[in-house]
Amino acid sequence: MKKVGSVLLLVIAVAAIAVFLWWRQLNHYATPEQLTLSILDAPVTVQRDEMGVPYLFAETEADLIRAQGFVVAQDRLFQLEFYRALINGRQAELIGEAGFESDVQVRVLGLVQNAKRHARILAPGAREYLERYASGVNAYLECCAEDFPFELGVVGLEPAPWTVDDFMAVMHYVGFVHSRNWEDELMVVRLTAALGPELAGELLPRHRNPERAVPDHELPSDGLTAVGEPSPAISGPARGVPGDAEARIAELSVAPDPSPFPAFGSNNWAVAPERMAGGAALLANDPHLDARVLPGPWIPMGLFAGEIRAFGLALPAMPGLLVGRNAHVAWGVTNGYGDSQDLFFEETSPDGERYRDGDVWKPFDVREETIRVKDKDAELGYTEEMLRVRSTVRGPVVSDHPGFDSGADVDLSLRWALAGPQRPEIGIDRFLTATGVDELEAAVLDIDIMFFNVAIADRHGAIARRSSGRVPIRAAGVGA
């Protein structure tokens, strides 16, 4: 009996070792030192250090960006495809009910539609930059199906060619993550519903623009600027809440659901040469993104071509380096949290088909979205949920949907600067070639759709800080 047990343990141990060795080699893929692809004008050398970090050496910037797309797809194809599914509102299709609320949010906000509109007006240089990166990613999809990561099959993701629209959608999603102040405004609505306007008004601070930077006559005349104090449309307190204020406050639960991950801040700073013993400017940056969340959000890499000698961190679906340095200038980013969103109280008709816009009653724009939810017990392996999205001239009516619950019987629409007209430049396409603080600042100011605090220092000793992202100038100075 003892012998049988020993044999069984030996068999289990051998099987465990075999599984471990199989798993380790499962996602191994070829990493050639010379890329000789049909999309390249000349071969590109890829050297990797002992940690697998790639360093790309090309003759031209165009080939450098194409090769970067290829190498990123090689290293992070599952991440690229999962990002695309997330941004297109297909997470529930892959992981089930847990992804449903996220899918609802991005579908209701029309994130992909916004990105496609933006892609249509891109400047030629910005479009070409993204096209080159896409050609590199797609070259990998065409040549290397045998090396695709195992995880793709596990979740049922089918790789497909990438387009400029896809990369613009990623940037719009980054803008969404960086400007979720609608959650704060929703919390204000919940407080007012629970406590009533008077008590809520005592608890909540009033935020105003201290000084309007643009004269009244130069404010955009799109008819959508927020005016006046926050709306008294909520007449709370909500039913069932005790009358005495102290008890009502004690029983409140109005904050957004806590994240399963610890909350992190970020920091960056620069020191001028006169405060440095070495007589040169110093830049430090820590974006504080949680390294325990895998795959990690950053890809460290070196990019070299002609005058470009750069090293830093890239995001998988964004060409170039978002954090890094070249031979002339260094830059670091933290989240800018731009206040680019406003909730509006909508007055609607009893049948819910029209809303008031000034003195006019208008029909809602209505679109329908179908969300697939993975369900192994369903005949097709998934169920379908129909999403009916009503929109006003201000934006989609969010209070109709899960994840936007206000705790009050009101119709709330969300206006978002990123859903409006955008500039044709993307800014990030000029980071690698910037020769100093001035050029880097100009590139940052062309980023409308992502909200960063960018700290900068150059080899001449100049330092600077710039913020990116489009934030509305509110006529009444009220952004809450």
Side-chain angles (χ1 to χ4, degrees), residues 285-372:
N285 178 219
D286 184 354
H288 282 200
L289 295 183
D290 194 342
R292 294 168 298 178
V293 179
L294 298 176
W298 296 113
I299 305 177
M301 56 174 38
L303 300 174
F304 302 86
E307 295 298 311
I308 297 174
R309 302 179 59 78
F311 182 83
L313 303 173
L315 290 179
M318 206 176 294
L321 299 175
L322 195 57
V323 174
R325 64 182 187 269
N326 61 29
H328 309 285
V329 60
W331 60 94
V333 303
T334 64
N335 193 336
Y337 291 106
D339 185 355
S340 64
Q341 299 165 338
D342 290 295
L343 290 181
F344 285 79
F345 295 95
E346 298 289 352
E347 185 179 354
T348 60
S349 60
D351 62 4
E353 298 300 323
R354 292 174 300 145
Y355 67 95
R356 185 191 289 278
D357 184 31
D359 294 328
V360 179
W361 286 91
K362 295 181 177 179
F364 285 101
D365 288 329
V366 179
R367 59 184 167 89
E368 292 186 343
E369 303 262 353
T370 302
I371 299 178
R372 288 182 176 178

Side-chain angles (χ1 to χ4, degrees), residues 38-280:
S38 61
I39 59 169
L40 298 175
D41 296 326
V44 173
T45 299
V46 181
Q47 296 181 356
R48 293 178 181 266
D49 65 16
E50 66 277 6
M51 300 299 291
V53 174
Y55 297 77
L56 282 59
F57 298 85
E59 292 186 10
T60 65
E61 182 187 5
D63 272 355
L64 183 66
I65 298 304
R66 293 174 185 129
Q68 185 189 15
F70 184 92
V71 170
V72 167
Q74 190 178 51
D75 288 1
R76 300 290 185 94
L77 182 59
F78 173 74
Q79 193 172 13
L80 283 171
E81 293 296 337
F82 193 82
Y83 279 0
R84 179 158 57 178
L86 168 69
I87 292 163
N88 280 271
R90 292 182 51 223
Q91 212 184 165
E93 188 177 327
L94 304 175
I95 65 173
E97 192 66 36
F100 182 71
E101 191 170 298
S102 169
D103 288 353
V104 169
Q105 286 185 357
V106 296
R107 300 279 191 109
V108 168
L109 294 176
L111 192 146
V112 170
Q113 292 93 321
N114 296 339
K116 287 181 177 179
R117 283 195 298 271
H118 194 173
R120 287 197 291 268
I121 58 97
L122 283 178
R127 172 170 287 279
E128 192 172 36
Y129 190 69
L130 297 176
E131 286 174 342
R132 288 168 178 165
Y133 193 70
S135 71
V137 173
N138 294 336
Y140 181 76
L141 297 182
E142 290 173 12
C143 79
C144 304
E146 291 184 1
D147 286 341
F148 285 179
F150 172 74
E151 295 91 334
L152 286 171
V154 171
V155 299
L157 271 171
E158 195 76 36
W162 280 70
T163 67
V164 170
D165 287 357
D166 291 319
F167 294 117
M168 289 303 297
V170 170
M171 284 188 267
H172 275 255
Y173 183 78
V174 172
F176 169 61
V177 172
H178 283 187
S179 61
R180 295 169 64 98
N181 55 283
W182 63 266
E183 293 178 319
D184 298 332
E185 299 197 10
L186 203 58
M187 186 167 66
V188 172
V189 178
R190 290 170 179 165
L191 274 170
T192 310
L195 301 177
E198 186 175 339
L199 183 55
E202 292 177 14
L203 291 174
L204 295 167
R206 288 280 187 250
H207 297 287
R208 292 182 173 278
N209 300 336
E211 189 68 39
R212 214 179 287 145
V214 180
D216 286 350
H217 64 275
E218 293 181 17
L219 287 170
S221 57
D222 60 1
L224 300 181
T225 47
V227 294
E229 292 291 331
S231 171
I234 303 175
S235 57
R239 283 182 218 162
V241 179
D244 108 67
E246 190 173 328
R248 280 189 275 155
I249 293 172
E251 292 185 11
L252 282 178
S253 179
V254 297
D257 292 333
S259 167
F261 303 108
F264 288 101
S266 298
N267 57 67
N268 53 16
W269 42 268
V271 182
E274 56 268 25
R275 295 183 179 275
M276 292 296 297

